[in-house]
Amino acid sequence: QLDAVPQDGSPVRFTVIVERREDAWTTYLNVPIGAVYVRRKGKDEVVAFNVICPHLGCAVDYLPGRKEYLCPCHDSSFDVSGKRLNQTPPRDLDTLEVDAAKLKIGEVWVKYQDFRTGEEHQVVKT
């Protein structure tokens, strides 16, 4: 829900959960497949980032006191808008598509994707 995302622009981490079908008879419910940070850019606008650092694939943490995301694997950091603050990571945090139609009714739906690490540009993992 959009109400769960603070209006002050602070990011919130959400686990991405899916229903996974193994075959015609086997379905797994509520399988965590990753996580995202969601933050407001305005009253009715949000941005979402994959929590995976584009350098080596570690999960970044958000440090509210510094207003930065920090990768614990190599001490690289990103500002609150996802821009890298040093040259270790090859690119900014990976942004994810947010469904604008769902946002208008107060729901936040994100198209979750994983990207290759170590690349200068986003390359979707296949």
Side-chain angles (χ1 to χ4, degrees):
Q1 293 292 351
L2 183 57
D3 292 341
V5 183
Q7 292 191 21
D8 67 1
S10 300
V12 180
R13 183 178 171 141
F14 294 97
T15 301
V16 177
I17 307 256
V18 298
E19 177 181 296
R20 187 164 281 182
R21 293 194 175 196
E22 198 70 25
D23 54 39
W25 298 275
T26 310
T27 300
Y28 299 101
L29 302 176
N30 302 322
V31 178
I33 61 166
V36 298
Y37 280 106
V38 177
R39 68 177 286 269
R40 286 187 194 240
K41 288 179 66 178
K43 184 180 179 209
D44 298 318
E45 184 181 359
V46 299
V47 64
F49 302 108
N50 193 314
V51 301
I52 300 300
C53 179
H55 180 225
L56 296 176
C58 301
V60 299
D61 296 312
Y62 181 70
L63 306 176
R66 290 174 43 181
K67 294 188 178 183
E68 294 178 359
Y69 301 93
L70 177 69
C71 180
C73 295
H74 53 77
D75 289 331
S76 283
S77 55
F78 305 83
D79 70 16
V80 73
S81 68
K83 301 278 184 226
R84 62 187 174 161
L85 295 175
N86 59 33
Q87 296 303 308
T88 302
R91 63 182 183 270
D92 298 336
L93 287 178
D94 294 317
T95 57
L96 299 167
E97 182 182 332
V98 177
D99 186 326
K102 293 288 187 185
L103 203 54
K104 287 181 182 179
I105 62 169
E107 297 178 3
V108 180
W109 287 61
V110 175
K111 180 180 179 183
Y112 183 77
Q113 294 179 295
D114 282 320
F115 301 92
R116 286 190 196 165
T117 58
E119 303 280 341
E120 187 176 337
H121 302 286
Q122 282 185 338
V123 178
V124 177
K125 282 185 181 178
T126 55

